[in-house]
Each structure stands twice: as structure tokens, then as C-alpha cells.
Amino acid sequence: MRHTMTIPPENRLAGLSSEDVLIVSFPKTGSTFTRFVFANVVYLLNKNSEPVDFYNLGQIMPECLKDNLIDFCWKGDPLPRLVKTHQLAEDNPLYAQPKALYVLRDPRDTMISFYYYASKRKKGRYEGTFDEFVEHSTFGIDAYNKHIESWYSKASWVFDYETLMQDPLASFLRVFDDLGIKIQRELVQKALLFSQPDKLKAAEREKSRPNHSVNFDEDFTFVRNASVAQWKEKMSPEQATYIWDRSSAILKARYERD
């Protein structure tokens, strides 16, 4: 699929085409799993390509404002080009043009996973407590609420991480159907098998991640337990209640309080 759309100079950092599909999420809500599934579909469609790992994931599926999208060679036909972003919708005018798949997650689990990630980074490490992290204007619950409210009404598809873990096949087949792309069910099933958390953990152990030792503490693992409702064991009832009470109405509508 060719991407010949003329990019206005003010948008060259993005380089998006109206044909692209964005994979959008707030950090630590499930975009890695989602990207691996689509990347494994690309791998299976191109039998001569390398198996997907953390080193070539970005070569298969680029990230907006990080990779050169204008010159990026997409090898995933018949899929449209899939582009990752964590940015807010209003950060770039072109974000309103492509279709977007938005992944969200229980806010309590999101705060736990993002705090672990931020506190293990060497550059820009978060040094505060978990409670302080929840209040942080860039990382915490208000930032998550803002991100959801930025994208929720604009996305063509919205999936929660929990459903992607419990019934991923139906979710991904729905996207392909809506795009008018005929993908064999068995191929998607195989891509899902290749993308299961235990497979991603093994890939991370075998090859680590690009610049892992430079960017993160030695004991850091990007793929942890990929669990649902980990907050029930990892935080106090008071912390869980506080995060829930601070969460957006959109999140509350999708997650009934336990």
C-alpha cells in the first residue's frame, strides 16, 4: 500500500496519511500486546520475514513522532499502515484524520503498571511514592482521564485490555471486518498465540529489549504478569477507592466497581 499523501510542513513530524490506522493508548494499558498481535499478522502474511520480537517490532510497526513515517516502508499489505502513539488527539491536527484503535484499562491496574515502569527508568526516573505518582500531573490519574477524554469519542474502535485478554479473537476480527480486510481466522489465532504474555516474556528474556541496560534498571521487565485486577492484591482498599473516585465517567461506565 503506497502512502503518497502530501504532508504539510507543519505536520512533517507526524507524517501521517489518511489511510493510516492509529494504535492509541495511555502508557501501560495494553498497546504492546495489541501491536504484537498486528505485527505477528504481518509476519504471517510475509512468510519470509523475521519472527516478531522487541527489536524488530518498531521496524514492522512505527511510532508517531519517533519514527520517520514519511519514508517508512510498510510491509503489511493488505492491512493499512498501523502507527503507534501515546500522544493526545489535539497534539496534532492529522490525528483527527486516520482511523484509531484505542485501548484502555482499569485505572487502578494502569496506575500500578505505570508506576512500576516509571520508577525503573534510569532517565527521567520517578522517585516519589505511589500515592504521589497517582497525583502527578503527567503520569497520574488526571493525566489518564485527560487522555481518555481526548480520544474516546474520536476512536473508530475502543477495546479494554481485560476483553483483549479474555476474548481477543473476536476483538481483532472485528477490526479486520470493519476495514473490509479478509484475514483467515486461523491466521489471527496463530498471531494471538505468538503474542501471548508467556511468549512475550520469553522473547524479552532471550533478547532483552533495545537499550535495556541503558534505559532501565537491571531487574526491570517490560512484560510482567499481564494480569487483570492486580490492584486487588497490590494496593490498599483506600488507594483503590481514591483512584476509582478520581477516575473519569468514561472509565466508570466501562468498569463496574467491585
Side-chain angles (χ1 to χ4, degrees):
M1 180 176 294
R2 295 180 59 84
H3 296 270
T4 57
M5 176 181 177
T6 301
I7 307 298
E10 65 270 20
N11 291 322
R12 289 189 189 282
L13 280 178
L16 287 172
S17 162
S18 58
E19 300 173 24
D20 293 334
V21 172
L22 289 171
I23 307 298
V24 189
S25 70
F26 190 73
K28 309 308 295 180
T29 57
S31 67
T32 298
F33 170 74
T34 306
R35 292 176 75 213
F36 261 92
V37 173
F38 283 120
N40 274 307
V41 169
V42 172
Y43 161 64
L44 292 168
L45 288 171
N46 295 272
K47 297 179 181 179
N48 59 343
S49 60
E50 293 294 322
V52 184
D53 57 30
F54 283 97
Y55 277 85
N56 62 19
L57 178 62
Q59 298 170 9
I60 298 171
M61 190 180 304
E63 180 173 353
C64 199
L65 300 181
K66 178 181 178 181
D67 299 306
N68 182 354
L69 300 183
I70 297 174
D71 298 326
F72 189 90
C73 181
W74 175 249
K75 300 179 180 179
D77 291 341
L79 276 67
R81 188 173 66 172
L82 302 163
V83 182
K84 169 193 173 183
T85 186
H86 289 312
Q87 302 295 315
L88 295 173
E90 55 264 31
D91 284 350
N92 192 297
L94 277 179
Y95 285 159
Q97 295 185 24
K99 294 180 179 179
L101 187 159
Y102 191 77
V103 183
L104 50 76
R105 187 181 187 185
D106 187 300
R108 295 156 292 194
D109 283 342
T110 299
M111 290 295 101
I112 291 172
S113 292
F114 198 12
Y115 174 70
Y116 171 78
Y117 172 86
S119 62
K120 292 292 184 178
R121 293 188 303 191
K122 290 183 177 179
K123 183 178 180 181
R125 182 196 301 271
Y126 185 78
E127 302 283 1
T129 66
F130 175 73
D131 289 340
E132 291 168 338
F133 183 85
V134 171
E135 297 289 347
H136 197 280
S137 60
T138 302
F139 308 129
I141 188 62
D142 288 343
Y144 187 24
N145 291 337
K146 182 179 179 180
H147 198 278
I148 291 173
E149 290 160 5
S150 174
W151 279 106
Y152 193 83
S153 63
K154 300 178 179 68
S156 302
W157 308 272
V158 177
F159 296 124
D160 57 81
Y161 176 77
E162 293 75 11
T163 299
L164 287 178
M165 289 291 100
Q166 295 166 7
D167 189 15
L169 181 61
S171 300
F172 286 98
L173 287 177
R174 173 187 158 195
V175 175
F176 293 129
D177 287 344
D178 288 352
L179 290 171
I181 297 172
K182 294 182 178 180
I183 296 287
Q184 291 183 348
R185 184 185 184 93
E186 292 76 15
L187 187 147
V188 180
Q189 288 175 320
K190 187 174 290 187
L192 286 166
L193 180 63
F194 290 167
S195 307
Q196 290 305 302
D198 61 330
K199 301 290 186 182
L200 302 190
K201 288 180 186 178
E204 186 175 10
R205 285 195 304 268
E206 183 176 333
K207 290 188 177 181
S208 186
R209 287 170 54 84
N211 300 317
H212 180 96
S213 62
V214 175
N215 296 326
F216 297 98
D217 291 348
E218 185 176 348
D219 63 345
F220 172 77
T221 56
F222 193 85
V223 181
R224 297 168 66 206
N225 53 18
S227 63
V228 172
Q230 60 177 319
W231 61 268
K232 294 181 179 180
E233 297 180 357
K234 300 292 185 179
M235 67 174 61
S236 69
E238 292 76 17
Q239 288 172 322
T241 297
Y242 182 78
I243 293 171
W244 181 260
D245 289 344
R246 288 283 297 275
S247 297
S248 74
I250 294 171
L251 283 169
K252 290 179 179 179
R254 292 187 71 100
Y255 294 94
E256 293 184 3
R257 185 174 181 181
D258 294 322

